[in-house]
């Protein structure tokens, strides 16, 4: 099988990001080219019409509901709402907590330091940010990045549920406790929840309608502060890769 330069470039990037994710300094001399099966994640949607339908549905949700939303107090302190971005036919969706300073300024999810770490995690999985969809539980920044309140989460979560209903991913990764607790309707901490798949109900109500698997893991900002936990996060991501049939690097 012939390896295209782009495939080799992706394989090298994946290996390097995996090493940096795990804090490994030595770069292996030989890097296996990726198997073709991995390319399935980057393939265009089976039905392009379906894909553009989802793009339009997402735009409608954003423009008619989120952009001008005043359902909670954060409307008065935000610079702008942050809907989230990425593929509109993703196999995998990442859900974080809330926009921070950079996100509030740019209107995009995960574009600051934590975002760079999330990019490393995505590339280590053999994917790109464009393959996946990235968003948050809250669409507006809490002042000084304080924790989201229960009222804010309650007001905003219908938007997240609608995003997931439109996107129909095969699996969701919940980054950190607020995302995991919101999506899985549980009070358990992230340390207890991580390491296994849970049922995420697209309706938002436990046991009602279809569910998809969700993997809770540590938030990239937490990994920046606690690098010793990176191994566990990588174990979680490898379970997601196995579910999606993505190959491990190297
Ligand atoms: N942290 C989050 O949870 N979301 C972002 O978009 C950025 C940082
Ligand atoms: Fe609306 Fe959510 Fe922003 Fe609150 S955080 S104003 S509910 S979009």
């Amino acid at each position: 099988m012939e390896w295209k330069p782009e495939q080799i470039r992706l394989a090298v990037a994946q290996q390097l990001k995996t090493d940096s994710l795990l804090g490994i300094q030595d770069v292996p001399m030989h890097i296996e080219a990726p198997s073709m099966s991995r390319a399935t994640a980057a393939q265009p949607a089976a039905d392009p019409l379906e894909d553009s339908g989802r793009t339009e549905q997402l735009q409608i949700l954003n423009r008619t509901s989120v952009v001008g939303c005043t359902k909670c107090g954060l409307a008065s302190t935000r610079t702008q709402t942050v809907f989230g971005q990425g593929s509109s036919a993703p196999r995998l969706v990442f859900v974080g907590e809330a926009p921070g300073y950079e996100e509030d300024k740019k209107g995009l999810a995960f574009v600051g330091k934590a975002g760079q770490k999330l990019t490393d995690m995505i590339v280590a999985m053999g994917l790109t940010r464009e393959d996946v969809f990235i968003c948050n539980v809250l669409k507006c920044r809490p002042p000084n990045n304080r924790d989201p309140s229960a009222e804010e989460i309650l007001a905003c979560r219908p938007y997240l549920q609608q995003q997931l209903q439109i996107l129909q991913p095969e699996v969701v990764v919940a980054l950190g406790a607020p995302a995991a607790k919101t999506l899985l309707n549980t009070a358990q901490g992230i340390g207890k929840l991580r390491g296994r798949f849970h049922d995420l109900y697209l309706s938002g109500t436990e046991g009602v309608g279809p569910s998809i698997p969700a993997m809770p893991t540590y938030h990239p900002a937490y990994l920046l502060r606690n690098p010793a936990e990176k191994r566990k996060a990588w174990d979680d991501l490898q379970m997601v890769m196995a579910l999606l049939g993505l190959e491990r690097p190297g």
Side-chain angles (χ1 to χ4, degrees):
M1 196 180 292
E2 282 287 310
W3 296 107
K4 298 198 193 90
E6 175 65 6
Q7 284 180 304
I8 293 165
R9 196 188 62 73
L10 276 176
V12 172
Q14 183 180 5
Q15 183 67 55
L16 291 174
K17 289 302 180 192
T18 307
D19 292 345
S20 92
L21 200 64
L22 295 173
I24 297 165
Q25 299 304 322
D26 295 329
V27 177
M29 294 299 289
H30 300 287
I31 292 160
E32 294 271 320
S35 83
M36 290 309 287
S37 68
R38 177 187 301 152
T40 52
Q43 272 171 8
D47 179 357
L49 282 178
E50 168 79 358
D51 187 6
S52 72
R54 291 182 196 180
T55 306
E56 199 178 348
Q57 286 179 64
L58 290 171
Q59 278 176 358
I60 290 169
L61 174 63
N62 187 27
R63 290 185 193 152
T64 64
S65 304
V66 177
V67 165
C69 180
T70 55
K71 287 205 294 170
C72 83
L74 298 179
S76 63
T77 52
R78 73 181 177 223
T79 303
Q80 59 191 316
T81 56
V82 180
F83 186 74
Q85 74 276 357
S87 167
S88 51
R91 300 184 68 198
L92 171 58
V93 173
F94 287 90
V95 179
E97 179 175 331
Y101 177 82
E102 288 292 334
E103 290 77 18
D104 174 70
K105 262 174 87 169
K106 298 203 173 106
L108 294 167
F110 280 99
V111 288
K113 269 203 194 112
Q116 182 54 55
K117 190 82 204 160
L118 177 59
T119 304
D120 291 350
M121 293 160 77
I122 292 168
V123 172
M125 296 176 81
L127 300 169
T128 68
R129 283 177 70 116
E130 291 70 36
D131 290 327
V132 302
F133 193 86
I134 302 169
C135 62
N136 289 297
V137 172
L138 294 190
K139 309 309 184 202
C140 303
R141 180 193 184 209
N144 302 314
N145 300 345
R146 65 158 170 73
D147 290 346
S149 73
E151 291 73 27
E152 288 157 1
I153 290 175
L154 203 64
C156 208
R157 76 173 284 184
Y159 299 139
L160 175 59
Q161 299 289 163
Q162 285 173 70
Q163 285 177 306
L164 294 175
Q165 284 164 19
I166 294 168
L167 292 166
Q168 300 277 338
E170 289 169 52
V171 56
V172 169
V173 172
L175 299 166
K181 289 178 183 179
T182 302
L183 288 169
L184 304 175
N185 298 303
T186 175
Q188 280 197 331
I190 191 72
K192 280 257 160 61
L193 292 169
R194 63 153 290 278
R196 66 203 149 88
F197 290 103
H198 300 253
D199 292 328
L200 187 173
Y201 287 89
L202 294 174
S203 66
T205 304
E206 229 33 38
V208 174
S211 67
I212 54 172
M215 174 62 75
T217 195
Y218 293 119
H219 193 286
Y222 175 82
L223 295 178
L224 286 170
R225 295 192 303 272
N226 302 274
E229 303 285 38
K230 286 193 287 189
R231 177 81 243 176
K232 287 187 207 156
W234 181 231
D235 288 344
D236 298 339
L237 296 179
Q238 283 182 306
M239 290 179 70
V240 173
M241 289 166 70
L243 186 93
L244 291 173
L246 301 175
E247 300 240 327
R248 292 171 59 167

